[in-house]
Amino acid sequence: LQGPRYVSPAPNGGFVVSEECGDVKVFMSSRKLLCSLSSKYGHQFGNPAGVCVDVDGSILVADEQRRTVHLFPENGAPICLVSTGLRRPTGVACSSFGHLFVADTGENCVKVFK
């Protein structure tokens, strides 16, 4: 890993790690690299920060530089969930009730999206 920042467990026993160098890596339960989101989806991150995995196994990533939150489904193209209203998103978490929590350090608050 190059500058690991945030880590989240994945439902399959693996985990997801954001890196300062601008990528997000997905590891299997055996700790072997499964994929890089940049390579798998052809997505370019600005500065990925917080990561989490939802109940469907999709990976959510907060991008500090681009001020966005993207969802990366297991199959299909990435989806931008939040593209406005964030100053410096650093942390993300999702609930089983469909809520997305984003820690916005630029505004010193946690924003909740449904």
Side-chain angles (χ1 to χ4, degrees):
L1 294 169
Q2 296 179 10
R5 299 186 71 203
Y6 293 83
V7 63
S8 175
N12 62 3
F15 58 98
V16 179
V17 181
S18 63
E19 297 179 305
E20 273 187 288
C21 68
D23 203 355
V24 176
K25 304 270 177 74
V26 181
F27 292 86
M28 299 183 292
S29 59
S30 63
R31 297 182 301 276
K32 290 189 183 240
L33 179 65
L34 179 63
C35 71
S36 148
L37 294 188
S38 293
S39 298
K40 179 178 179 178
Y41 294 94
H43 183 85
Q44 187 169 352
F45 293 98
N47 189 19
V51 292
C52 69
V53 181
D54 71 10
V55 293
D56 297 322
S58 297
I59 300 167
L60 290 88
V61 181
D63 192 320
E64 276 183 282
Q65 184 179 10
R66 298 191 177 199
R67 299 176 179 173
T68 59
V69 176
H70 275 81
L71 179 138
F72 296 85
E74 289 192 52
N75 299 304
I79 301 164
C80 185
L81 295 179
V82 183
S83 61
T84 60
L86 298 174
R87 285 187 52 203
R88 190 172 167 218
T90 53
V92 291
C94 44
S95 77
S96 56
F97 300 108
H99 291 95
L100 171 65
F101 301 93
V102 181
D104 190 340
T105 57
E107 293 189 14
N108 295 315
C109 66
V110 174
K111 295 179 178 176
V112 182
F113 300 90
K114 185 167 171 101

